[in-house]
Amino acid sequence: MTTALRLEQITPENLDAALGVKVRPDQEHLVAPVVKSLAEAYVHPGVAWPRLILDGDRAVGFLMAFFDIDFAGDGTGEDIRSGLWRLNIAAGEQGRGYGRFAVGAVAAEIRRRGGTRLTVTWEPGDDGPELFYLGLGFRATGETSGDQTVGELELEPGGVV
């Protein structure tokens, strides 16, 4: 990992690089491919925040965040949350801090928008990303979203993650 890490909005110029981000084959059942995320972003334009993760000029990952959604989906507006919807780190780039950077970037954007917590969901199981998220300070809430575990991270003002 270098100090040239940044997020970029998906554009016609970097679309192929984003679509080229593939997780390891043994992880494909844990996270949707980038192409599905971009389709979801297209149909949820006010909610989805897709970004390419770059190290210098090299695409190393993809993330998609969500902001201010009715998490319970019951229309009451009493459970509004923001968080990380997808995180795909390219197979050959894992273990280099890019996931931590991505979570930190989403946390910073949520803080910038006035939020104080970051929600994430993950596939449960020994091969899933639970230990990664717990290691960053997330706590499982005891909820599920579909068949995924829901985790939350309280965001400290000015904190990194």
Side-chain angles (χ1 to χ4, degrees), residues 16 26 32 38 62 105 112 148 152 161:
D16 287 338
D26 63 310
L38 291 176
F62 170 87
R112 189 186 73 72
Q148 295 191 341
E152 288 192 339
V161 174

Side-chain angles (χ1 to χ4, degrees), residues 18 45 97 153 155:
L153 178 66
L155 302 177

Side-chain angles (χ1 to χ4, degrees), residues 6-137:
R6 67 185 190 285
L7 299 182
E8 270 192 17
Q9 186 173 355
I10 307 301
T11 65
E13 292 76 27
N14 65 19
L15 176 63
D16 287 338
L19 293 174
V21 172
K22 309 274 191 232
V23 297
R24 294 188 331 240
D26 63 310
Q27 297 171 327
E28 290 174 350
H29 69 286
L30 298 170
V31 64
V34 172
V35 68
K36 180 174 183 188
S37 295
L38 291 176
E40 289 172 329
Y42 178 80
V43 298
H44 299 286
V47 173
W49 194 70
R51 295 293 186 265
L52 186 61
I53 305 166
L54 295 166
D55 188 347
D57 292 330
R58 196 171 81 255
V60 296
F62 170 87
L63 70 80
M64 188 162 69
F66 61 89
F67 299 108
D68 301 323
I69 66 163
D70 178 1
F71 197 78
D74 60 9
T76 66
E78 293 181 13
D79 189 13
I80 303 300
R81 300 189 199 186
S82 298
L84 184 60
W85 190 345
R86 296 271 160 63
L87 179 58
N88 304 60
I89 302 298
E93 304 292 351
Q94 295 179 14
R96 298 181 182 175
Y98 299 126
R100 176 180 286 276
F101 166 79
V103 172
V106 171
E109 184 63 21
I110 290 171
R111 281 190 202 95
R112 189 186 73 72
R113 294 171 181 241
T116 59
R117 70 179 169 165
L118 190 164
T119 300
V120 68
T121 62
W122 63 79
E123 288 288 334
D126 293 337
D127 61 346
E130 181 173 32
L131 292 178
F132 167 74
Y133 288 117
L134 295 178
L136 292 177

